[in-house]
Amino acid sequence: MHYGGDYNPEQWPEEIWHEDVARMREAGVTMVSLGIFAWSRIQPAEGEFDLDWLDRVIDLLHEGGIAVDLATATASPPPWMHERYPEILPVTVDGVTLGPGSRQHYAPSSPVYRRLAAELVTVLAERYAGHPAVVMWHVNNEYGCHLHADYSDNARDAFRRWLRERYGTVDALNDAWGTSFWSQRYTSFDQVLPPRAAPYSHNPGQLLDFRRFTSDMLLECYLMEREIIRAAGATQPITTNFMGAFMPANYQQWAAHMDVVTDDAYPDPNDPESFRAGAFQRDLMRSLKPEVPWLLMEQATNALNWRPANAPKAPGQMEALSLQSVARGADGILFFQWRQSRAGAEKFHSAMLPHAGTGTRTWREVTRLGATLAALPELPVGQDDARVALVLDWESWWAVDSPDHPQNGLDYLEVVQRWYRALHRRHVQVDIVPPERVDGRYALALAPALYLLRPEGAAALDAFVRGGGHLLAGPFTDVVDPQDRFLDGGFLTRLGGVLGVGIEDFGALVAPDAPGPGEREAPLEGPFGAATGTLLAEEVVARGAETVATFTGGRRAGDPALTRHGAGDGVGWYLATVPDEDGCDAIAGHVLDQAGVAPVLAGLPPTVEAARRGDVVTVINFGAADVDVDVAGHELLRGADVESVTLAPFGVAMVRRS
């Protein structure tokens, strides 16, 4: 179980380094991420490298028994680069060049940036590939975090190359984008531009492909560095840090290229429900590469610096959130950062070793967590515990986020997370996967607003139902093909057979927070009770399905709201609206019962969460009062056999069940 954080010795005089290693040993640190933002220290000028100080730091850590996750330092170019090569700088959609003075001030598709980054990585990899302290490589840092897309001439040229590789001919591009509309037909790839600021709406096919291109450009940068490291003879795992459900980068595509998935997570202590957002993020990371434990690469020990109000974590909250990650598949807990900075934009960001020193609550909690993790036995590796698949698809997310839809207030990620919260409140283990990965290991799959559906995903969902699974599809599903085009035959052309319904109209409602008059809610009622629909109230035509619930008010009063259809050995459910929080909870309970899915533990209040990792069940109390939990087995944190446990607020129990 790795434990540690980002270490930035370049911010401190060398005499502090020995104290750092001593304090790391005291805290139980086993690994640090080194050199993430050290490019200007490593390379003070083009062609000039200073690695003697880095040698001393790595050797010192190694002597102290601290392993190194060595970063390639390419996330923040040094001042000499933009001074000599201003063309590396990125450009916004409005044509504004983003200058230096912050970080990530580079265009990912810039040939000059890539050349200089490759030179740096080559020097580092050749020097440290065989160093016994280096146990992992950390490529760049949080790709795309602050620069979600670049619209520079670098991007223009690279986008054209990307389109040529994807489509081959300009005629194929025209067909994919439907450019006969609005006289957009191209006669050359050289006429195509990034979707920069324009008088009105862009072509939706262009918008979707530009998002694919942006994700691919970031991934190309990662792959370039990875190949350089491997070419130098490095055999250690190579990764880069993800940021949860981050729209610009398709992590479901990226994960195959990571030896281990790592993630940065910062739930808001001001939000009493943030632990559910944390659980969602951890389940997503586990689901990206379930055969390999993942690492929590960054979190905060206490308060942050970048929210409007940066609340501290309550006593015990940091440990509870850390063990939430372990419960959901992590084999490492790390922080940003080891020692709190004395200057710079993040000097108010908390750290493992606070500015106020070792006499602080933060330091006591850091050392206690280090001891807790060190005492844990080896935990199960492969994660195959969930019987529910929640479908999240990056390309559908991108397509839904484009304008000019029946309901432009539909927040795809929020809808997915709303269903996740309903499952979490019921203590059900969930995998978060694209549609192609839904298969017979699951009893129930939920596919909210799966607007864009690839043929492979449609085939997987169809086979899942016919093979015995229950599929609950939400509104605005199976509408377009991978190029954001309608298919012949209307909507639900690929899932309609297993769902037993068709759609004639999407029935947009006024978004709850939108100004002005209009119908905002679509009440419905069924065996789960009464619920409230929002955003859409679709006009459903039954084609073999039975009506389970009907709309009880509004323009769809009396029409089907939830349908059920047997197909093969399974059941296809279709829900014609987006329920509010309570509605999702009620409907989730009904379909879970119908699919025969049981919770990890029954009878828990919604502020207590339970997660299973093989034979270990972790229970965490995120509520404000003590809770008694009936769970029998060997409690790993206390080293004792138990029949039940009492959890104080932020209390944790990890029970190995027989």
Side-chain angles (χ1 to χ4, degrees), residues 82-265:
H82 66 78
E83 178 186 38
R84 185 168 184 179
Y85 303 105
E87 65 270 26
I88 72 157
L89 296 172
V91 176
T92 70
V93 67
D94 296 312
V96 176
T97 299
L98 298 177
S102 179
R103 67 182 195 184
Q104 289 193 345
H105 46 282
Y106 63 89
S109 56
S110 163
V112 174
Y113 166 77
R114 291 190 182 191
R115 173 178 64 81
L116 294 168
E119 292 175 4
L120 171 66
V121 177
T122 299
V123 169
L124 291 171
E126 290 178 349
R127 192 174 187 104
Y128 299 112
H131 198 294
V134 178
V135 299
M136 189 162 69
W137 288 87
H138 187 303
V139 172
N140 202 277
N141 186 71
E142 294 184 335
Y143 275 112
C145 178
H146 309 292
L147 183 72
H148 292 179
D150 169 47
Y151 298 84
S152 67
D153 288 348
N154 290 307
R156 175 201 63 197
D157 297 341
F159 189 38
R160 291 169 178 171
R161 288 193 298 271
W162 185 91
L163 291 171
R164 286 189 184 95
E165 292 174 5
R166 183 176 180 86
Y167 293 107
T169 68
V170 73
D171 286 341
L173 171 69
N174 284 319
D175 180 63
W177 288 4
T179 55
S180 293
F181 185 78
W182 280 356
S183 187
Q184 294 174 346
R185 191 165 185 82
Y186 298 102
T187 57
S188 167
F189 284 106
D190 292 336
Q191 296 168 352
V192 182
L193 294 169
R196 296 166 175 165
Y200 188 48
S201 297
H202 282 283
N203 184 299
Q206 180 189 19
L207 290 175
L208 179 58
D209 270 344
F210 191 73
R211 281 185 153 149
R212 289 177 174 131
F213 159 80
T214 295
S215 179
D216 283 356
M217 288 303 99
L218 294 170
L219 180 58
E220 278 187 8
C221 289
Y222 168 81
L223 293 174
M224 177 192 75
E225 295 193 26
R226 187 193 69 171
E227 294 311 309
I228 292 170
I229 295 167
R230 286 282 177 251
T235 59
Q236 304 94 332
I238 302 173
T239 190
T240 190
N241 42 341
F242 292 172
M243 295 168 285
F246 178 63
M247 183 191 287
N250 184 347
Y251 292 157
Q252 289 169 338
Q253 175 194 5
W254 286 39
H257 304 288
M258 306 294 142
D259 294 320
V260 58
V261 167
T262 67
D263 188 50
D264 299 350

Side-chain angles (χ1 to χ4, degrees), residues 6 8 10 33-38 71 73-76 138 140-141 298:
D6 289 10
N8 299 292
E10 67 274 12
S33 299
L34 184 66
I36 291 175
F37 294 112
T74 54
S76 191
H138 187 303
N140 202 277
N141 186 71
E298 284 187 26

Side-chain angles (χ1 to χ4, degrees), residues 5 46 59 98 142 198 244 248 256 259 353 367 430 490 505 516-517 528 539 545 568:
E46 186 172 5
D59 290 344
L98 298 177
E142 294 184 335
D259 294 320
L353 181 57
T367 55
V430 180
D505 189 88
F528 48 80
E539 187 173 342

Side-chain angles (χ1 to χ4, degrees), residues 271-594:
D271 180 3
E273 287 283 298
S274 65
F275 69 96
R276 292 194 217 282
F280 173 87
Q281 186 164 340
R282 286 129 168 72
D283 280 344
L284 174 60
M285 292 302 114
R286 184 196 69 244
S287 302
L288 290 173
K289 206 174 185 73
E291 70 278 8
V292 180
W294 59 281
L295 302 178
L296 180 60
M297 186 60 77
E298 284 187 26
Q299 64 167 339
T301 57
N302 210 321
L304 301 177
N305 67 294
W306 41 263
R307 288 193 174 105
N310 294 287
K313 290 180 176 175
Q317 190 172 16
M318 180 270 284
E319 183 174 31
L321 290 169
S322 298
L323 293 177
Q324 182 188 58
S325 294
V326 175
R328 297 178 185 274
D331 266 7
I333 302 297
L334 295 93
F335 297 86
F336 178 83
Q337 58 181 323
W338 160 249
R339 182 184 284 270
Q340 189 170 9
S341 297
R342 189 161 54 191
E346 292 183 306
K347 64 180 179 292
F348 281 103
H349 194 298
S350 60
M352 298 179 76
L353 181 57
H355 191 61
T358 58
T360 57
R361 172 173 67 87
T362 294
W363 177 253
R364 291 191 294 272
E365 292 189 354
V366 163
T367 55
R368 185 171 67 241
L369 178 59
T372 296
L373 295 176
L376 284 177
E378 187 171 347
L379 297 173
V381 173
Q383 293 288 287
D384 194 21
D385 303 307
R387 298 198 66 222
V388 176
L390 180 61
V391 175
L392 183 151
D393 185 83
W394 251 264
E395 292 195 339
S396 190
W397 184 6
W398 291 337
V400 169
D401 190 63
S402 292
D404 305 313
H405 290 145
Q407 174 51 269
N408 291 309
L410 180 63
D411 183 333
Y412 176 76
L413 182 61
E414 162 55 27
V415 172
V416 172
Q417 290 178 325
R418 189 180 301 178
W419 282 106
Y420 179 87
R421 291 191 293 268
L423 297 166
H424 187 273
R425 282 190 291 269
R426 292 177 175 273
H427 316 293
V428 172
Q429 193 94 356
V430 180
D431 284 347
I432 303 169
V433 297
E436 290 82 0
R437 281 186 49 201
V438 175
D439 58 27
R441 82 189 72 181
Y442 304 110
L444 172 65
L446 276 67
L450 189 57
Y451 165 72
L452 182 150
L453 185 58
R454 293 175 294 277
E456 301 83 0
L461 294 176
D462 184 277
F464 169 72
V465 175
R466 297 187 189 278
H470 284 242
L471 169 66
L472 174 62
F476 213 46
T477 286
D478 188 12
V479 179
V480 297
D481 72 2
Q483 292 307 133
D484 204 353
R485 302 175 302 187
F486 291 153
L487 291 94
D488 293 338
F491 310 118
L492 287 177
T493 58
R494 291 155 302 176
L495 297 182
V498 293
L499 297 174
V501 297
I503 300 298
E504 292 198 358
D505 189 88
F506 298 105
L509 304 171
V510 178
D513 57 350
E519 192 171 313
R520 283 173 162 74
E521 296 181 349
L524 59 148
E525 192 167 331
F528 48 80
T532 300
T534 66
L535 297 173
L536 298 163
E538 292 181 331
E539 187 173 342
V540 173
V541 178
R543 295 174 180 165
E546 62 175 298
T547 297
V548 175
T550 59
F551 289 113
T552 57
R555 58 176 173 261
R556 293 269 72 81
D559 287 354
L562 176 66
T563 61
R564 184 184 192 277
H565 181 246
D569 295 326
V571 177
W573 303 78
Y574 191 77
L575 180 61
T577 189
V578 178
D580 63 5
E581 203 81 20
D582 291 340
C584 281
D585 189 68
I587 295 169
H590 180 71
V591 295
L592 286 167
D593 289 343
Q594 294 289 303

